[in-house]
Amino acid sequence: MNYELLKKLCETPSVAGREQRIRDFIHNNVKGYFDEIKVDALGSLICKKFSKNKKKKKILLLCHMDEIGFLVSYINPKGYVFVDPVGGFDPRNLFSRRVLVCTEKEDLKAVMNPQGKPVHTQSAMDRKKIPEPNEFFIDTGLGEKANDKIQIGDYVVMDEPFLELPKKIVSKALDNRIACWLGMEIARYVSENKIELDNDLIIVFTSQEEVGLRGAKTASFDVEPDIAIGIDTTLACDTPGVPEQDWITTHGKGFGLHIKDSSFISDHELVSKFAKLAEKNKIPYQRTILSRGGQDGAAGQQAGSGAKAIAIVVGTRYIHTVTEMVDKSDLENALKILKKFLED
Ligand SMILES: [Zn+2]
C-alpha cells in the first residue's frame, strides 16, 4: 500500500476555503488518469473519465480535501495571534499544540495555548474551566514582528507528524485525506490496468466540506450524477469509556457501509448491492449509522433532480484531533470494495 502518498496528503496544509495546495498536489498526481479535469468556482477539482458504453451512467465519487483548522482573526500589538475555527474542534484537544501559520509568503512554526496562567499559579476555579476555541492564542516567538508577516485571513493548521504503526495510521487530517488517497489510488488503478469502465467515472476532490458540504453541493449540481458515493471517515468509538452500542464502527471489522447519518439516508438498493458484492468477494464490512454528523454523499444525492447515493466510510478513532487513527485493513477494504464496484 502506498502510504507514502497518504503521508504527503496528510502533511499538506489546506483548511476549508484554502484548498489550493492540496488541490495542486492532487492535480499534479492524477493528470494522466482522466480525460477531463477542471477546477470549479468553489475550488473543487472535478476529474472525469468517460466510458465508451452507449448505455452508460454517471458515477460520482466525492472526496473532500479540506481539513479543519483556523483563520487568523486578530494579531495584537505584541504579535500574539488569535484565530477563528474553520470546522469543529473540541477545545479540550487544543492545549499546548504545535501549529503552522500559513501566510502567502511562508509557513511559520508556532505554538497554541489557552489564555491565562500556568498550573502553578492558577486558581482551583480556573483549573476546571475549558476555554472556547477563540480563547486560545498562537505564539510565533516573533514578538511584534509577527504583525509584519501575518495578516487577518491567513490560515492555521495543526503541525504534527504522520505516524505509521504496524496495524494503524495516525495523523492529523486523516479526515479526509484518506478519501483523497482512495480517489487517487482508484484513478491510478483504472488507468494503469486500462480498465474499460461501463460508466463514466467522475471523482471530485471537494472543497469546504467541514463547513457544510459547500463544494460538494455545487460540484454535484455540475456533474448531475446517477449514482453518488461519499467517501469519508466516520467515528470509531471502540475505546475505553464508551458503551458498545455507541461505537458506530469497530477497528479491524472492515469498511463502513453507511446506512444513515443526519445529512442523508443511503439508497436501500445500493446498500444491498454493496453488501452482496462485499460478501461475494470476501471483503469485510460493517453497517454504520451515525446519529449526528453529515458528509458529501448528501450533496450528491440531492443535486439536480437527485441521485441514488451511498457512502463508503472508514472508522476513525479520536476524530478531529491530531491523533486521528485508522486501521490499515479497514482502509484497504474500502479500496477493494470501490474497485470491485466500478468493475462490476
Ligand atoms: Zn470528513
Side-chain angles (χ1 to χ4, degrees), residues 64 175-176 209-210 232-233:
H64 79 81
D175 175 9
N176 192 23
E209 189 270 354
E210 294 289 357
D232 211 326
T233 52

Side-chain angles (χ1 to χ4, degrees), residues 240-253:
V242 186
E244 196 167 341
Q245 69 267 27
D246 297 332
W247 285 2
I248 317 295
T249 62
T250 306
H251 263 197
K253 289 209 167 162

Side-chain angles (χ1 to χ4, degrees), residues 6-74:
L6 184 56
K7 178 179 189 307
K8 286 194 190 128
L9 286 166
C10 288
E11 290 181 349
T12 302
S14 286
V15 303
R18 299 298 169 79
E19 292 91 356
Q20 190 178 347
R21 284 202 223 175
I22 189 75
R23 182 173 60 240
D24 289 350
F25 176 79
I26 296 171
H27 197 167
N28 285 332
N29 282 277
V30 301
K31 256 180 203 157
Y33 303 152
F34 293 96
D35 299 315
E36 189 186 296
I37 298 184
K38 68 169 182 182
V39 179
D40 77 2
L42 266 78
S44 295
L45 184 70
I46 304 179
C47 309
K48 299 183 178 180
K49 186 159 184 73
F50 302 115
S51 163
K52 293 190 186 98
N53 180 8
K54 289 218 169 77
K55 288 183 189 160
K56 65 187 183 180
K57 291 188 169 176
K58 285 187 274 187
I59 298 180
L60 169 63
L61 306 189
L62 294 151
C63 313
H64 79 81
M65 58 184 169
D66 56 317
E67 67 182 296
I68 56 171
F70 306 89
L71 297 184
V72 171
S73 57
Y74 174 64

Side-chain angles (χ1 to χ4, degrees), residues 69-86:
F70 306 89
L71 297 184
V72 171
S73 57
Y74 174 64
I75 310 144
N76 81 7
K78 293 218 176 326
Y80 292 111
V81 177
F82 295 77
V83 290
D84 188 57
V86 195

